């Protein structure tokens, strides 16, 4: 599975969009990009995933570049409750035993 | 709907003791997973089970064993605990073990081995 690179931390003002980048330059054609987040002391929470096309759900949008080597998670209107560690994960189609979370990005949403 | 429950919430354990962490899901998911989370290392997969009756090794399986006697339960056993197994343990499940599927996580068990 491709490994991912994310900034260690980011700040965002409350009410503004939070854009979290992820680099996955070694991604292969059948690997999905997932985003999870973990609020302090809780279990990870699924946010969104995609393969090639941009995706949007009630929580966020996922923008994947055309070459699929990087992606951006967008929280359109960040709130204080969005403060968490955000994990970008790349996972192969049948690699069920390989789901590397890495260290993630600590997003600090400030008033 | 409870989702995934884990027990105990936290535990302090003497080295050398045997310990079983419990995990139960009520979503009838086929696949279940055990992760440990350590500071600076993210989550690492210990063991997984694609369906009842089958298990497999993840990234860090040594010192741990699992069983999957039925769909709902996936206990993790430390046969003889060591201090390096001090960690937060998360159980997760998914409808299928393949990609494109969301994993649901439990609230975690904080284990301290002295």
């Amino acid at each position: 599975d491709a490994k991912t690179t994310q900034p260690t931390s980011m700040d965002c003002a409350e009410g503004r969009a939070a854009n979290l980048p992820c680099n996955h330059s070694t991604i292969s054609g059948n690997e999905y990009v997932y985003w999870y987040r973990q609020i302090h002391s809780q279990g990870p929470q699924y946010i969104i995933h995609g393969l090639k096309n941009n995706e949007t759900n009630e929580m966020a949008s996922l923008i994947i570049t055309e070459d699929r080597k990087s992606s951006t998670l967008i929280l359109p209107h960040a709130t204080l409750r969005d403060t968490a560690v955000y994990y970008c994960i790349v996972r192969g189609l049948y690699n069920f035993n390989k789901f590397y979370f890495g260290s993630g990005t600590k997003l600090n949403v400030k008033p | 709907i409870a989702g995934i429950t884990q027990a105990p919430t936290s535990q302090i354990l003497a080295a050398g003791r045997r310990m079983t962490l419990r995990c139960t899901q009520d979503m009838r998911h086929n696949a279940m997973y055990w992760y440990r989370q350590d500071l600076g290392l993210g989550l690492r997969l210990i063991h997984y089970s694609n369906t009842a009756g089958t298990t497999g090794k993840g990234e860090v399986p040594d010192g741990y064993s699992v069983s999957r006697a039925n769909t709902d339960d996936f206990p993790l056993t430390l046969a003889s605990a060591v201090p390096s197994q001090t960690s937060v343990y998360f159980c997760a499940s998914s409808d299928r073990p393949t990609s494109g599927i969301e994993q649901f996580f439990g609230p975690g068990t904080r284990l301290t081995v002295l």
Side-chain angles (χ1 to χ4, degrees), chain B residues 35-38 42-44 46 64 84-89:
Chain B
Y35 295 87
R36 61 176 289 173
Q37 185 172 32
D38 304 291
L43 277 80
R44 293 180 293 170
I46 305 171
Y64 306 94
S84 62
Q85 292 178 310
T86 293
S87 187
V88 180
Y89 291 85

Side-chain angles (χ1 to χ4, degrees), chain B residues 4-72:
Chain B
I4 296 183
T5 58
Q6 292 184 236
T9 302
S10 65
Q11 182 75 44
I12 298 174
L13 188 67
R17 297 297 295 270
R18 180 184 179 89
M19 176 74 189
T20 295
L21 308 185
R22 299 186 297 279
C23 174
T24 300
Q25 53 105 357
D26 62 3
M27 296 174 284
R28 306 302 294 172
H29 283 170
N30 287 306
M32 297 187 74
Y33 315 83
W34 272 105
Y35 295 87
R36 61 176 289 173
Q37 185 172 32
D38 304 291
L39 191 63
L41 295 176
L43 277 80
R44 293 180 293 170
L45 183 65
I46 305 171
H47 284 287
Y48 65 91
S49 169
N50 289 342
T51 188
T54 68
T55 62
K57 295 181 179 180
E59 184 184 1
V60 288
D62 294 343
Y64 306 94
S65 63
V66 291
S67 61
R68 188 87 184 278
N70 57 61
T71 298
D72 299 343

Side-chain angles (χ1 to χ4, degrees), chain A residues 4-7 9-10 18-24 35 63 70-74 86-88 104-105:
Chain A
T4 62
T5 304
Q6 299 176 253
S9 65
M10 295 181 63
N19 297 280
L20 291 89
C22 180
N23 181 286
H24 32 79
W35 283 85
I63 308 298
S70 65
S71 61
T72 301
L73 177 74
I74 301 173
Y86 288 77
Y87 296 99
C88 169
T105 295

Side-chain angles (χ1 to χ4, degrees), chain A residues 30-32 34 36 38 41-46 49 87 91-103, chain B residues 33 35 37 40-43 45 48 50 57-59 90 97-108 110:
Chain A
N30 64 1
E31 290 181 321
Y32 285 77
Y34 289 80
Y36 280 75
Q38 188 173 23
S41 298
Q42 299 180 21
Q45 176 191 22
Y46 167 84
H49 75 276
Y87 296 99
R91 185 186 185 198
L93 184 62
Y94 297 112
N95 290 339
F96 40 78
N97 60 336
K98 297 181 187 293
F99 208 17
Y100 298 115
F101 274 72
S103 298
Chain B
Y33 315 83
Y35 295 87
Q37 185 172 32
L41 295 176
L43 277 80
L45 183 65
Y48 65 91
N50 289 342
K57 295 181 179 180
E59 184 184 1
F90 289 101
T98 55
S99 283
I101 298 299
E102 174 184 356
Q103 283 195 9
F104 294 84
F105 283 80
R110 184 174 297 274

